[in-house]
Amino acid sequence: MNTHMSVGLVQHACTEDRKHNLQASVSGICEAHRQGAELVLLPELHCHPYFCRFEDATMFELSESIPGPTTEQLSRVAAELGVVIVASIFERRARGLYHNTAVVLERNGEITGTYRKMHIPDDPGYYEKFYFAPGDQGFRPIPTSAGTLGVLVCWDQWFPEAARLMALAGADLLLYPSAIGWDRNDTEQERARQCDAWITIQRAHAIANSLPLAVCNRWGLEQSARENDAGIEFWGSSFIAGPQGEVLFQAPCAEDAVHSVTLDLARSAALRHQWPYLRDRRVDAYQGLLSRYLD
Amino acid sequence: MNTHMSVGLVQHACTEDRKHNLQASVSGICEAHRQGAELVLLPELHCHPYFCRFEDATMFELSESIPGPTTEQLSRVAAELGVVIVASIFERRARGLYHNTAVVLERNGEITGTYRKMHIPDDPGYYEKFYFAPGDQGFRPIPTSAGTLGVLVCWDQWFPEAARLMALAGADLLLYPSAIGWDRNDTEQERARQCDAWITIQRAHAIANSLPLAVCNRWGLEQSARENDAGIEFWGSSFIAGPQGEVLFQAPCAEDAVHSVTLDLARSAALRHQWPYLRDRRVDAYQGLLSRYLD
């Protein structure tokens, strides 16, 4: 059995022009495929500017069904190239019910699974609770011809619980489409700490579960004409890490990047034999994890 | 309210001579106190060589009760200096029942709490399941005059669940006495990956819980006269991180180190307001964390 699998990521900026953004995603997929990628990861909500910067009901018009226009176009690309694609859609499930949803397209073009973002942020500039209902599918990895994918989305990346649940359910690989950036009012030191924390905690999910991991973030300043809008400077820095958290590739913070890395999925098994965390979890003593707080 | 607190760590090597080792711990505590430390963390099992390298029943003679000779001596030091000490003891609870136990001594010398290591490793060179019964006190932080301490021990550091439970139960600070090192047969690259993974996953516990963290490891080669014993080269590298996982101090890998850092415990609250992970945990969807595996 060949345990080697090449994963690619496509980091790009997102403009107001949906067609332009989707073209950037598709061009990147083609380039990643030329590099040998069997699986390509796109950034979170890659067809749109990050509209959650404000609460604005007109933005619901950006939503679409699954299947819908974006998945149909990407399905054709998946089938033409024979690659698995992990896309990210502003999903309209019903009028008044929307999700932030990752879609996995098989290399024959079929939709093979979806993951609805479970942890929804809400803080200044990231008003996602206004737009997205929390996912109701739980943490279910998606089996594909390129491995069983533990797909999570952005804010999920700060929760070790999410990565662990994907690992316990058999994920071979953790994948995080993201849209995260700097508040331009923050100091350089604070910016460095935030981006480093973001990389570190995701590397730690790889380590804790002995799984490789890929993260794809958008880059670029998104700023509106609204008064006092400092905008968000999305920090790119998409990366791929091995199952010891070792960084195998990291993109720059402010430019397009397409890169593929060949992973050996057999390393996870070897590591789990060396340091067998799954054997030693104290499941008899973890009840408190189901509480909001232990007071 | 003064939210500043100075934490010190004492990294030393451990020989066959218990008295010598305890003297190294005490000297380090005095030095940390001179530097202003109100709380001092010692390495795991700091009175002994790492006897778990082999399964050897004669080693049970190294165990002691709590209170016992080591806690009595350290209690005197705590009271003389007025510092809180986190020590690590091979606890004899009964004949045939031993634990790997951290003890917290208040600045008046009283034993204010213990933590019995919950996750017990067992792999070549770390035969702890032979020596230690798994802790049965759960993950309870220990309130002290220097903050509420989330004391965990070594192997616990690979489990995000442990850090999370301490945070949910009100810990102000995470503390990890450790004894971890390199197999001398490993390549330089593998050694670098292991030590970096160890640092990274612990920094991630700080990040995930917006808590500062200190880790104290022993250093030095421990090797016996047994045939084919390559020994373990304990890698030191003790460190203190802030609540964004930022490294505030890191000791060298192969020498004694005593260092104190002043932490501002109020930064945790500010961070939790900025990125409120505790608000968004999906406690309704974490049931699987109580399973060994989801098959």
Side-chain angles (χ1 to χ4, degrees), chain A residues 117-124 129 134-136 138-139 155 158-162 164-165 167-171 180-181 186 190 193-204 207-208 235 244-246 267 271-295, chain B residues 117-124 129 134-136 138-139 155 158-162 164-165 167-171 180-181 186 190 193-204 207-208 235 244-246 267 271-295:
Chain A
K117 187 173 183 173
M118 289 287 284
H119 298 95
I120 306 294
D122 197 288
D123 53 277
K129 289 193 196 298
D136 58 352
F139 301 93
W155 190 237
W158 300 100
F159 299 82
E161 292 91 342
R164 179 69 93 201
L165 285 163
L168 292 179
I180 188 167
D186 279 334
E190 174 62 16
R193 279 195 300 269
Q194 288 183 5
C195 187
D196 195 31
W198 177 77
I199 292 168
T200 300
I201 199 167
Q202 293 182 93
R203 291 177 58 206
I207 296 163
W235 67 48
Q244 284 171 302
E246 71 278 24
R267 280 198 63 225
L271 279 169
R272 286 183 179 184
H273 292 170
Q274 186 181 332
W275 285 351
Y277 311 134
L278 296 188
R279 179 195 65 189
D280 289 338
R281 295 177 66 247
R282 288 296 303 269
V283 294
D284 61 307
Y286 289 169
Q287 191 67 36
L289 295 172
L290 306 187
S291 295
R292 183 66 63 204
Y293 200 69
L294 297 167
D295 46 8
Chain B
K117 186 173 183 175
M118 289 288 283
H119 298 95
I120 307 294
D122 196 289
D123 52 277
K129 289 194 196 297
D136 58 352
F139 300 93
W155 191 237
W158 301 100
F159 299 83
E161 292 91 343
R164 180 69 94 201
L165 285 162
L168 293 178
I180 188 168
D186 280 333
E190 175 62 16
R193 279 195 300 270
Q194 288 183 4
C195 186
D196 195 31
W198 178 78
I199 292 168
T200 300
I201 200 166
Q202 293 182 93
R203 291 177 58 206
I207 296 164
W235 67 46
Q244 284 172 302
E246 72 278 23
R267 281 199 61 225
L271 278 169
R272 286 183 180 184
H273 292 169
Q274 186 181 333
W275 285 350
Y277 310 133
L278 295 188
R279 179 194 66 189
D280 289 339
R281 295 177 66 246
R282 288 297 301 272
V283 293
D284 60 307
Y286 289 169
Q287 191 67 36
L289 295 173
L290 306 188
S291 294
R292 181 68 61 203
Y293 200 69
L294 297 167
D295 46 9

Side-chain angles (χ1 to χ4, degrees), chain A residues 3-4 14 21 23 72 80 87 101 107 125 158 162 172 182 201 205 214 230-231 252 262 272 285 291:
Chain A
T3 59
H4 290 78
C14 300
N21 298 332
Q23 189 48 50
E72 278 162 22
E80 276 169 28
T101 304
R107 62 182 83 198
W158 300 100
D172 293 320
W182 289 299
I201 199 167
H205 302 328
T262 298
R272 286 183 179 184
S291 295

